[in-house]
């Protein structure tokens, strides 16, 4: 019976849906996390009777035909790149992006990764690095005798050193934007990689047209909305139940047939 | 003759097919732009065994076709700028597939690296018959209710919906796509509204589908019972008539 397999595909799809939702809920407090959503598409159809085929020698045609679908499949799971709310942290190396753009991070392999998680720190050499110690690109080094660090909206990093009144500029932060942000590949640790689908990164300074501005002392919270995730979870669970109901019905029908006396 | 068993069998076959279709509806209850389907069942009058005008001829059950309800699905707000929903029935987005044009209600689009608006499978979306190219330099895309696409306030193209006079000629080919099986050309549908940042859910009414499930299941049991009774009857008559006393 086809219905059994069709309903199984429905249950598998809802399982994937629950997995995506649970990942969203698990990352509710992850800095810079963007929630994901699973989209579904219908599977292939079998033509039992093709529409438009002749139904008589007089040339009459079948107007609708019979097509039976084979179920559902996951079309895509994509990130929704809505702005997360900036959360005050007070740490001078926490930088949130308000608007479009990603920070560039040099990975140990030399590759460039992109992130919205601006909870940076300085390493032993005074270089601005991520939580994992990967350097922020372009490299910014804070002198050891710096008393105060200021990062402007447009990404200028200025430090005030001991015995000096005028702040001096030590670097300029840059942002990368992509035409198709949803095409970036997540590799964990809040990092994303450029792909053929995302297109090449366009680099620019913060606060320029098309780029977001920076907020020092803030981190960007995840854009996961607990209420809508729980609602989605309920919907997914009910859909799962309904598919299992179809399996039960198909099973009952088969058993009724099997019990016919010969 | 064995008409009762055969008539029962014809109903059982259509019931199984109905179950397949209900299963597909339930599985796709969460599929973007999915349209609910229903098996259309009719009567097929059988031939009389002999020219006997008193007895009516036996009627079989035959599935004549699948009907699709092209009614509006519920709207879901997504907040994504390249998600589009059509508000208005029977209209579709046209996409360019390998084998000619295809049509879809699933407006969850994306762009490829060249900035061409495509479906999730990478098929270019057509606006007035040509692919739509967006300029990544110009920033956010906004689309009006009539489908006009603009970037930085400048119109850069139009995302239009098309419709067919005879929706029955459309054939589903999976992935949310429909193909045209007739020679009719789609026409522009200016009366529908394009909603940006929204997706159209399926129009499956799950309550209705579960009711259908129960109905199918019970009808199947009843028909099976009927076949059993017909069987019993002929078995008993053979036993009685064959008894030598």
């Amino acid at each position: 019976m086809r219905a059994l397999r069709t309903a199984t595909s429905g249950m598998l799809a809802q399982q994937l849906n629950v997995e995506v939702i649970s990942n969203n809920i698990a990352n509710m407090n992850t800095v810079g996390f963007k929630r994901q959503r699973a989209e579904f598409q219908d599977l292939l159809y079998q033509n039992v009777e093709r529409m438009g085929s002749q139904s008589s020698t007089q040339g009459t045609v079948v107007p609708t035909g019979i097509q039976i679908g084979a179920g559902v499949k996951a079309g895509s799971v994509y990130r929704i790149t809505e702005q997360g709310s900036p959360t005050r942290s007070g740490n001078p190396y926490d930088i949130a992006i308000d608007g479009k753009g990603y920070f560039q991070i040099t990975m140990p392999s030399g590759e460039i990764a992109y992130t919205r998680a601006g909870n940076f720190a300085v390493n032993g050499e005074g270089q601005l690095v991520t939580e994992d110690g990967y350097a922020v690109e372009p490299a910014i080094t804070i002198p050891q005798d710096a008393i105060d660090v200021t990062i402007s909206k447009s990404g200028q990093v200025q430090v005030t050193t001991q015995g000096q009144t005028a702040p001096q500029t030590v670097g300029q932060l840059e942002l990368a934007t992509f035409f198709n942000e949803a095409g970036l590949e997540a590799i964990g640790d809040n990092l994303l990689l450029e792909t053929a689908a995302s297109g090449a990164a366009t680099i620019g300074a913060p606060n320029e047209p098309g780029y977001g501005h920076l907020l020092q002392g803030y981190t960007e919270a995840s854009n996961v909305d607990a209420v809508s995730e729980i609602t989605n979870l309920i919907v997914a669970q009910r859909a799962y139940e309904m598919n299992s109901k179809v399996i039960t019905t198909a099973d009952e029908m088969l058993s009724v047939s099997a019990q016919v006396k010969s | 003759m064995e008409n009762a068993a055969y008539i029962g069998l014809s109903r059982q076959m259509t019931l199984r097919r109905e179950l397949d279709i209900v299963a597909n509806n339930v599985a796709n209850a969460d599929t973007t732009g999915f349209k609910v389907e229903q098996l259309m069942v009719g009567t097929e009058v059988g031939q009389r065994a002999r020219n006997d005008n008193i007895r009516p001829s036996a009627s079989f059950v035959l599935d004549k076709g699948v009907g699709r309800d092209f009614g509006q699905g519920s709207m879901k707000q997504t907040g994504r700028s390249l998600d589009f929903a059509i508000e208005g029935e029977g209209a579709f987005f046209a996409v360019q597939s390998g084998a000619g044009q295809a049509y879809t209600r699933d407006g969850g689009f994306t762009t490829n690296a060249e900035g061409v608006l495509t479906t999730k499978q990478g098929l270019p979306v057509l606006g007035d018959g040509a692919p739509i190219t967006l300029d990544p330099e110009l920033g956010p895309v906004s689309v009006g209710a009539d489908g006009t696409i603009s970037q930085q306030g400048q119109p850069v193209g139009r995302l239009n919906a098309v419709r067919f006079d005879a929706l029955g000629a459309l054939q589903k080919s999976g992935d949310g796509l429909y193909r045209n099986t007739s020679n009719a050309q789609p026409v522009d549908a200016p009366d529908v509204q394009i909603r940006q940042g929204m997706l159209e859910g399926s129009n499956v009414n799950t309550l209705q589908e579960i009711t259908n499930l129960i109905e199918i299941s019970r009808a199947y049991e009843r028909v099976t019972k009927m076949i059993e009774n017909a069987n019993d009857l002929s078995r008993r008559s053979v036993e009685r008539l064959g008894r030598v006393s």
Side-chain angles (χ1 to χ4, degrees):
Chain A
M1 242 180 187
R2 204 196 324 255
L4 284 171
R5 284 190 295 275
T6 307
T8 310
S9 78
M11 288 176 87
L12 286 173
Q14 292 308 324
Q15 200 173 320
L16 175 88
N17 201 2
V18 171
E19 279 161 16
V20 171
I21 296 167
S22 64
N23 187 48
N24 286 345
I25 295 177
N27 282 295
M28 227 166 85
N29 288 326
T30 303
V31 174
F33 179 79
K34 299 293 172 203
R35 76 190 143 97
Q36 289 183 304
R37 197 178 56 214
E39 279 294 329
F40 301 107
Q41 287 177 330
D42 46 358
L43 269 177
L44 284 175
Y45 283 78
Q46 189 201 352
N47 283 299
V48 178
E49 192 166 2
R50 199 172 282 277
M51 52 277 283
S53 59
Q54 290 208 346
S55 58
S56 76
T57 48
Q58 265 74 46
T60 54
V61 292
V62 177
T64 46
I66 300 173
Q67 276 198 302
I68 296 180
V72 66
K73 67 165 186 196
S76 63
V77 177
Y78 60 89
R79 263 188 310 284
I80 298 177
T81 50
E82 252 179 349
Q83 176 75 37
S85 55
T87 315
R88 174 110 188 112
S89 69
N91 181 348
Y93 301 119
D94 278 349
I95 311 157
I97 304 169
D98 190 359
K100 268 182 88 125
Y102 293 84
F103 292 114
Q104 305 164 75
I105 309 294
T106 312
M107 306 263 288
S109 61
E111 228 181 328
I112 297 284
Y114 303 90
T115 188
R116 290 281 294 189
N119 46 344
F120 299 135
V122 286
N123 65 9
E125 284 93 54
Q127 216 185 351
L128 197 64
V129 293
T130 67
E131 278 180 311
D132 295 310
Y134 304 162
V136 175
E137 169 72 26
I140 291 182
T141 310
I142 310 290
Q144 233 167 15
D145 53 351
I147 309 165
D148 194 32
V149 180
T150 322
I151 297 161
S152 71
K153 265 188 169 185
S154 51
Q156 268 206 332
V157 185
Q158 293 186 312
V159 293
T160 319
T161 47
Q162 197 88 47
Q164 276 193 318
T165 43
Q168 59 185 118
T169 307
V170 293
Q172 164 75 43
L173 284 167
E174 285 175 351
L175 292 178
T177 56
F178 296 90
F179 192 48
N180 178 19
E181 289 176 67
L184 291 168
E185 179 193 355
I187 52 165
D189 299 330
N190 297 337
L191 298 176
L192 301 160
L193 290 182
E194 185 182 308
T195 65
S198 69
T202 322
I203 314 291
N207 218 11
E208 275 182 8
Y211 295 89
H213 61 87
L214 302 183
L215 296 169
Q216 189 189 12
Y218 285 87
T219 55
E220 184 187 358
S222 78
N223 64 354
V224 178
D225 172 18
V227 179
S228 67
E229 294 302 326
I230 296 294
T231 316
N232 290 345
L233 201 61
I234 295 170
V235 172
Q237 190 192 354
R238 291 286 169 245
Y240 191 83
E241 277 177 20
M242 256 173 283
N243 280 295
S244 79
K245 183 86 191 148
V246 174
I247 293 184
T248 321
T249 310
D251 183 38
E252 275 169 13
M253 279 167 65
L254 283 176
S255 104
V256 164
S257 274
Q259 281 164 13
V260 175
K261 279 178 276 177
S262 57
Chain B
M1 296 296 288
E2 295 298 330
N3 266 347
Y6 286 130
I7 289 168
L9 196 63
S10 73
R11 179 69 184 129
Q12 276 188 329
M13 280 165 68
T14 54
L15 280 170
R16 279 185 175 216
R17 208 166 263 174
E18 269 185 73
L19 179 72
D20 290 341
I21 285 170
V22 170
N24 193 48
N25 288 340
V26 173
N28 284 294
D30 225 6
T31 300
T32 313
F34 180 79
K35 296 294 167 211
V36 72
E37 294 179 322
Q38 191 185 2
L39 193 67
M40 295 189 294
V41 181
T43 313
E44 183 75 8
V45 179
Q47 292 298 319
R48 286 197 181 92
R50 41 200 165 118
N51 196 9
D52 185 348
N53 284 330
I54 302 159
R55 280 168 34 152
S57 63
S59 298
F60 292 85
V61 183
L62 188 71
D63 38 4
K64 305 269 187 190
V66 171
R68 275 186 206 112
D69 176 2
F70 282 98
Q72 182 76 40
S74 56
M75 292 286 194
K76 291 187 289 191
Q77 182 129 28
T78 66
R80 194 172 155 267
S81 64
L82 294 180
D83 279 346
F84 303 102
I86 298 175
E87 200 177 320
E89 293 177 7
F92 303 88
F93 293 116
V95 301
Q96 187 66 53
S97 75
Q101 283 193 11
Y103 307 91
T104 185
R105 289 284 286 194
D106 177 359
F109 298 142
T110 178
T111 51
N112 63 16
E114 284 88 52
V116 176
L117 192 69
T118 67
T119 65
K120 295 273 167 51
Q121 296 95 41
L123 306 175
V125 179
L126 302 176
D128 289 332
I132 299 161
T133 309
L134 303 170
D135 189 349
E137 306 281 309
L138 295 179
V141 175
S142 73
V143 174
D146 63 343
T148 309
I149 307 168
S150 43
Q151 282 184 301
Q152 288 187 346
Q154 295 299 313
V156 294
R158 181 161 171 259
L159 174 68
N160 68 325
V162 294
R163 70 153 33 104
F164 291 90
D165 290 332
L167 289 169
L170 289 175
Q171 180 182 329
K172 281 193 180 181
S173 68
D175 296 339
L177 299 178
Y178 293 86
R179 277 174 204 288
N180 184 9
T181 58
S182 70
N183 294 326
Q185 286 301 309
V187 291
D188 193 30
D191 53 316
V192 299
Q193 318 256 294
I194 310 274
R195 297 268 175 246
Q196 192 182 17
M198 293 195 135
L199 284 177
E200 185 190 4
S202 79
N203 66 347
V204 177
N205 178 354
T206 43
L207 208 62
Q208 176 70 50
E209 297 303 321
I210 293 297
T211 317
N212 287 347
L213 268 188
I214 297 168
E215 258 177 38
I216 291 168
S217 166
R218 294 287 167 243
Y220 195 84
E221 278 172 30
R222 270 201 310 273
V223 173
T224 310
K225 195 85 200 152
M226 187 187 87
I227 296 174
E228 267 183 53
N229 288 344
N231 254 343
D232 271 0
L233 207 66
S234 61
R235 188 165 45 89
R236 253 180 287 158
S237 59
V238 168
E239 272 172 17
R240 287 211 186 142
L241 291 173
R243 200 178 294 156
V244 187
S245 55

